[in-house]
């Protein structure tokens, strides 16, 4: 199994290190020719969603990646990556890939609570650590999207088909269970 990680901006290195601990092959996606290699799943890391969106267009990565996601390539968006997949950002920002039936709120916890750590139940994984950095949350899900985790009534993880999103950064917790969950999705899609 091989995972492509969008590496134009943000916290892609942390995902690489986590996949290393899971002994999973990965490579960086920085330009269209990187998409010529076969791969089984895509990670959209945390960072700054507005910058990533601009770079995706400038680097001609937007269209091919959107096509792949629509065609069913498993994708895992963390934090800013969640915002890239959302069909709507209700406060401040326009959608990017627009492939997932979730409405997200950007920088949703305000300045005071900009970054925090928590523990909460994740569907099928039990209680796991979660690190939030200027995080969004999901205001509502629709279509086939379903909620995987919530904190204080706010949705922080969801899945729709082969799309998985977390408002938090599992790659910063040292706990690989959400990545393993994603790799299982990739394996299912592959076989
Ligand atoms: N606040 C960032 C945004 O709006 C997301 C933060 C993150 O990815 N850690 O894109």
């Amino acid at each position: 199994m091989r995972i492509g990680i969008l590496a134009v901006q943000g916290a892609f290195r942390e995902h690489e290190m986590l996949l290393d601990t899971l002994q999973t092959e990965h490579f960086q996606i920085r330009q269209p020719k990187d998409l010529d290699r076969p791969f089984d799943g895509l990670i959209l890391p945390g960072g700054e969603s507005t910058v990533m969106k601009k770079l995706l267009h400038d680097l001609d990565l937007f269209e091919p990646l959107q096509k792949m996601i629509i065609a069913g390539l498993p994708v895992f968006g963390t934090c800013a990556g969640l915002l890239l997949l959302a069909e709507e950002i209700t406060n401040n920002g326009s959608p990017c890939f627009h492939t997932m039936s979730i409405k997200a709120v950007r920088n949703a916890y305000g300045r005071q609570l900009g970054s925090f750590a928590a523990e909460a139940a994740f569907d099928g994984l039990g209680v796991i650590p979660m690190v939030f950095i200027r995080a969004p949350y999901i205001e509502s899900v629709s279509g086939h999207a379903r909620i995987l985790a919530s904190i204080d009534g706010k949705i922080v993880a969801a899945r729709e088909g082969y799309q998985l999103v977390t408002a938090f950064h599992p790659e910063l917790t040292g706990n690989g269970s959400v990545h393993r969950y994603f790799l299982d999705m990739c394996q299912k899609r592959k076989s």
Side-chain angles (χ1 to χ4, degrees):
M1 196 136 67
R2 188 188 293 124
I3 304 299
I5 304 176
L6 183 67
V8 295
Q9 194 266 334
F12 51 88
R13 183 75 195 110
E14 289 76 4
H15 284 283
E16 293 176 334
M17 293 191 292
L18 202 122
L19 288 179
D20 284 342
T21 69
L22 300 177
Q23 283 152 19
T24 300
E25 203 185 318
H26 55 80
F27 69 100
Q28 298 186 348
I29 296 173
R30 293 173 175 271
Q31 48 186 322
K33 79 168 166 44
D34 297 330
L35 303 175
D36 294 343
R37 304 170 69 162
F39 58 110
D40 307 297
L42 168 68
I43 289 181
L44 304 173
E48 195 53 47
S49 55
T50 50
V51 176
M52 268 194 250
K53 181 182 170 188
K54 182 178 186 310
L55 289 170
L56 281 164
H57 283 283
D58 290 353
L59 298 167
D60 292 324
L61 283 167
F62 174 78
E63 274 187 32
L65 284 177
Q66 189 188 41
K67 275 199 189 111
M68 289 172 152
I69 296 167
I70 290 170
L73 174 73
V75 58
F76 178 17
T78 57
C79 203
L82 174 157
L83 293 165
L84 295 179
L85 294 169
E87 68 176 10
E88 191 180 327
I89 297 162
T90 57
N91 52 343
N92 178 14
S94 53
C96 180
F97 290 121
H98 194 266
T99 48
M100 195 168 170
S101 311
I102 56 171
K103 292 192 197 327
V105 186
R106 226 186 133 204
N107 298 327
Y109 295 91
R111 274 169 199 263
Q112 301 303 318
L113 259 182
S115 303
F116 62 98
E119 288 200 335
F122 187 106
D123 188 61
L125 301 180
V127 173
I128 58 164
M130 301 175 177
V131 169
F132 294 81
I133 303 171
R134 297 186 62 235
Y137 65 71
I138 301 168
E139 198 176 274
S140 62
V141 303
S142 59
H144 291 107
R146 62 185 178 90
I147 298 166
L148 297 177
S150 302
I151 293 186
D152 297 335
K154 293 179 170 118
I155 306 163
V156 296
R159 173 178 180 178
E160 184 175 30
Y162 287 102
Q163 300 184 74
L164 171 69
V165 290
T166 61
F168 57 93
H169 290 265
E171 76 283 6
L172 297 180
T173 63
N175 179 310
S177 57
V178 182
H179 285 73
R180 262 198 302 271
Y181 181 99
F182 176 61
L183 294 175
D184 283 348
M185 285 168 55
C186 299
Q187 191 62 55
K188 278 211 184 81
R189 173 74 183 162
K190 200 178 166 151
S191 52

